Amino acid sequence: MSPTHSAALQAPYARIKMHVLSKIDSGEWEVGARVPSEHQLAAEFGVSRMTARRAILELTQDGVLMRSQGVGTFVADRKPMLSVLEVRNIADEIAERGHRYSNQVILLNTEQASEVMALYLGVATGSPVHHSIIVHLDNQVPVQLEDRYTNPAVAPDYLAQDFTQETPNAYLSRVAPLGAAEHTVEAVTPSPEMAQWLALAPGQACLQVNRRTWSQGEVATFARLIHPGSRYRLGGGMVVLQPPVGKAALKRVR
């Protein structure tokens, strides 16, 4: 049986799924790209909107697509997820090592949600979201850059906190207890600005953990946690600081 004939015999919703998957696999639709609406797909394939909805729903359940109410449907990031990663307070991790924790608050303000960030947080594009950038230090050595977006509906007083005294993780654990978490891990090259914040030589590789958390059924935060590759490793279900760490071991970028 020819491939064309075989495709013609498939259920209409399956043909739509194959179409969407082919666009993604070919790279034509990249991660974060908006996919056609159910109405558009129904018109293109000459099927009912219910049929198109079934195709989109199944692809969403499979993790291929992400839907945001009132915003649209987008291509999801299908990189392997490490759901076993623990969500821990970095200040506690450093204290357990017998080291001194401190941090530098780089940014703390309200921004309009981009289309992609609105998708991650489940809010409308352009709506206000809280944005913080903090560098966490172990014995004055930068070990993590935390770039976090927070849903104001979950933590309305986020910007009023003194995060030099309490980390965002500790604060959010109090006001929006963790219900679920999703992680992806990837190797990245930090921007020159990020490299400077982390006291890294240009081009040095980093380990980035992308973490999205839920509290009481709502998306609470989306955070990019960037770790110098030479100072961290994956192990035991968490990102672990590699000993020894000392200021003498670093070549600071000025």
Side-chain angles (χ1 to χ4, degrees):
M1 183 180 296
S2 70
T4 301
H5 185 55
S6 177
L9 293 178
Q10 286 183 328
Y13 81 91
R15 287 191 285 114
I16 295 176
K17 289 178 66 176
M18 286 187 62
H19 170 74
V20 172
L21 288 170
S22 68
K23 292 288 188 181
I24 296 172
D25 292 340
S26 70
E28 184 174 343
W29 293 354
E30 298 180 343
V31 172
R34 186 195 295 270
V35 305
S37 67
E38 295 170 359
H39 179 76
Q40 291 171 318
L41 288 170
E44 180 178 350
F45 284 85
V47 299
S48 69
R49 188 169 180 178
M50 186 73 70
T51 297
R53 181 176 300 166
R54 177 178 176 181
I56 295 299
L57 178 61
E58 290 192 4
L59 289 170
T60 301
Q61 292 172 338
D62 292 341
V64 176
L65 301 178
M66 295 177 63
R67 306 188 74 177
S68 180
Q69 186 173 2
V71 179
T73 303
F74 301 80
V75 177
D77 187 343
R78 289 191 287 168
K79 292 177 182 175
M81 292 183 183
L82 298 183
S83 58
V84 296
L85 287 180
E86 293 184 17
V87 178
R88 300 192 65 199
N89 182 7
I90 190 170
D92 293 339
E93 292 183 50
I94 290 172
E96 288 172 7
R97 293 175 54 80
H99 291 185
R100 185 169 68 86
Y101 168 80
S102 60
N103 67 43
Q104 298 172 353
V105 178
I106 306 296
L107 176 73
L108 190 62
N109 65 17
T110 298
E111 299 178 4
Q112 291 185 330
S114 66
E115 192 170 81
V116 172
M117 196 50 59
L119 173 66
Y120 280 130
L121 290 179
V123 299
T125 301
S127 62
V129 294
H130 300 326
H131 186 197
S132 59
I133 300 178
I134 298 174
V135 178
H136 300 283
L137 301 98
D138 178 336
N139 285 349
Q140 297 300 307
V141 176
V143 292
Q144 184 188 89
L145 173 62
E146 175 189 316
D147 185 0
R148 182 186 298 270
Y149 289 84
T150 302
N151 185 350
V154 175
D157 297 326
Y158 185 81
L159 297 181
Q161 308 310 306
D162 181 359
F163 289 126
T164 63
Q165 300 302 312
E166 181 180 39
T167 66
N169 176 283
Y171 170 70
L172 290 167
S173 294
R174 287 195 295 106
V175 302
L178 181 68
E182 167 187 280
H183 300 89
T184 63
V185 181
E186 59 187 324
V188 299
T189 299
S191 67
E193 188 174 42
M194 291 179 176
Q196 185 166 1
W197 290 335
L198 288 170
L200 296 174
Q204 186 171 337
C206 288
L207 181 70
Q208 178 170 303
V209 177
N210 301 317
R211 174 184 295 158
R212 188 160 58 142
T213 61
W214 283 259
S215 180
Q216 298 183 347
E218 289 192 81
V219 179
T221 68
F222 176 79
R224 299 183 182 94
L225 309 175
I226 303 168
H227 313 82
S230 60
R231 301 170 209 162
Y232 269 83
R233 62 181 172 83
L234 279 174
M238 66 187 79
V239 182
V240 183
L241 187 64
Q242 290 193 133
V245 173
K247 292 177 70 174
L250 299 177
K251 294 182 179 178
R252 290 190 173 273
V253 179
R254 298 297 182 184

